[in-house]
Amino acid sequence: SLSSSAAFPLGSEDTMGPKKKGKKDKGGGDTAGMPLGEPDKLKELTQQAIAMEIQRGFQVQDKANAEATAKQMKEKMKEANERYEKQKEETHEITRDMTRQYKDMQETLVSKINLLEGTIQELKDELEMDRATFQQKLRAKDQVITDQEEEIKEMKSKMEGMAAEFGDMLKKTLDKMKERIELNSANIEEQSVPINKRLEEFNLKD
């Protein structure tokens, strides 16, 4: 709003319109610049009072407007603070809920990880035991094969020795049988001469 003092400057004759020409007295003289009479002073004071009242009205209106504006600003600030506090609380609740969910998820994941690590370790231990058992069985099998091969070699060697021994014995036996046969053949030939003679004698007697 416009300032009252600017609209109605006090103590200025410009606010009352253009200057009036001074009245001429009966003698024809100009009264401009002469002291005002009582009616003029009263009129001027009345105009000044009206101007001050108008100015006061403007000041009261400006004050009322300023107070209304301040009140609106306070209400807006209060609403803004309330919204801020509400959003702050909601944000705090959301953050707290998310933190709780994160901790729960973290604990669940850690539990699963520990369980999986334990399972993996058990499988590794079982695999190592199976591998050790397999290696032991493999070594035992290799030992059995080696023992059997050695046994087969020994048996072959014994069989070869027994075969050679049997060959020698057979050869000796055959040689002895051959000597006996030859000896028996010689005896049979020696005994066959008297028999023939006897047969001849027997035939002559007949």
Side-chain angles (χ1 to χ4, degrees):
S1 61
L2 295 174
S3 175
S4 300
S5 61
F8 296 96
L10 297 177
S12 175
E13 293 182 356
D14 292 340
T15 60
M16 304 303 293
K19 293 181 179 180
K20 294 182 180 181
K21 293 181 179 181
K23 294 181 180 180
K24 292 182 179 181
D25 56 6
K26 293 181 180 181
D30 190 354
T31 60
M34 296 295 291
L36 295 176
E38 292 298 330
D40 292 333
K41 285 185 178 182
L42 180 61
K43 185 177 180 181
E44 183 178 359
L45 291 173
T46 302
Q47 290 177 350
Q48 289 181 359
I50 293 171
M52 291 179 65
E53 187 67 24
I54 292 173
Q55 184 177 3
R56 181 174 176 277
F58 280 126
Q59 290 177 350
V60 170
Q61 185 64 36
D62 290 342
K63 182 179 179 182
N65 292 336
E67 289 177 352
T69 303
K71 184 178 180 181
Q72 291 178 357
M73 291 297 295
K74 286 181 179 180
E75 291 178 354
K76 289 182 179 180
M77 286 294 296
K78 182 179 179 182
E79 292 177 358
N81 288 330
E82 289 176 354
R83 286 197 301 269
Y84 171 75
E85 291 296 330
K86 184 178 180 181
Q87 291 178 356
K88 182 179 178 181
E89 183 65 23
E90 291 176 354
T91 303
H92 180 69
E93 289 291 333
I94 293 172
T95 303
R96 184 169 57 187
D97 186 59
M98 290 180 66
T99 303
R100 184 175 63 253
Q101 291 180 2
Y102 172 76
K103 288 183 178 179
D104 293 340
M105 289 175 61
Q106 188 178 22
E107 290 177 358
T108 302
L109 289 175
V110 169
S111 178
K112 288 183 178 180
I113 289 171
N114 292 333
L115 181 61
L116 289 174
E117 286 179 348
T119 303
I120 291 171
Q121 188 61 43
E122 289 179 0
L123 291 174
K124 284 183 178 179
D125 295 339
E126 291 179 2
L127 181 62
E128 190 65 27
M129 290 178 63
D130 292 341
R131 184 178 298 160
T133 303
F134 174 76
Q135 292 294 333
Q136 185 177 0
K137 289 181 179 180
L138 185 62
R139 287 192 295 270
K141 185 188 72 172
D142 293 339
Q143 187 63 40
V144 170
I145 292 172
T146 302
D147 294 341
Q148 289 179 352
E149 288 178 350
E150 290 294 330
E151 187 175 355
I152 289 170
K153 286 181 182 179
E154 291 178 2
M155 290 178 66
K156 284 183 177 180
S157 179
K158 288 180 180 180
M159 289 176 65
E160 289 175 357
M162 290 174 64
E165 204 175 298
F166 178 75
D168 292 339
M169 290 176 61
L170 183 60
K171 183 179 180 182
K172 290 178 181 179
T173 302
L174 291 174
D175 290 341
K176 288 181 180 180
M177 289 177 66
K178 183 178 180 181
E179 290 177 358
R180 288 180 182 177
I181 290 171
E182 290 176 355
L183 183 59
N184 290 333
S185 297
N187 292 332
I188 290 171
E189 288 179 356
E190 290 177 357
Q191 291 177 0
S192 65
V193 175
I195 293 173
N196 290 331
K197 288 181 178 180
R198 287 181 182 179
L199 287 173
E200 288 175 0
E201 290 178 356
F202 184 73
N203 289 331
L204 291 174
K205 289 179 180 180
D206 293 342

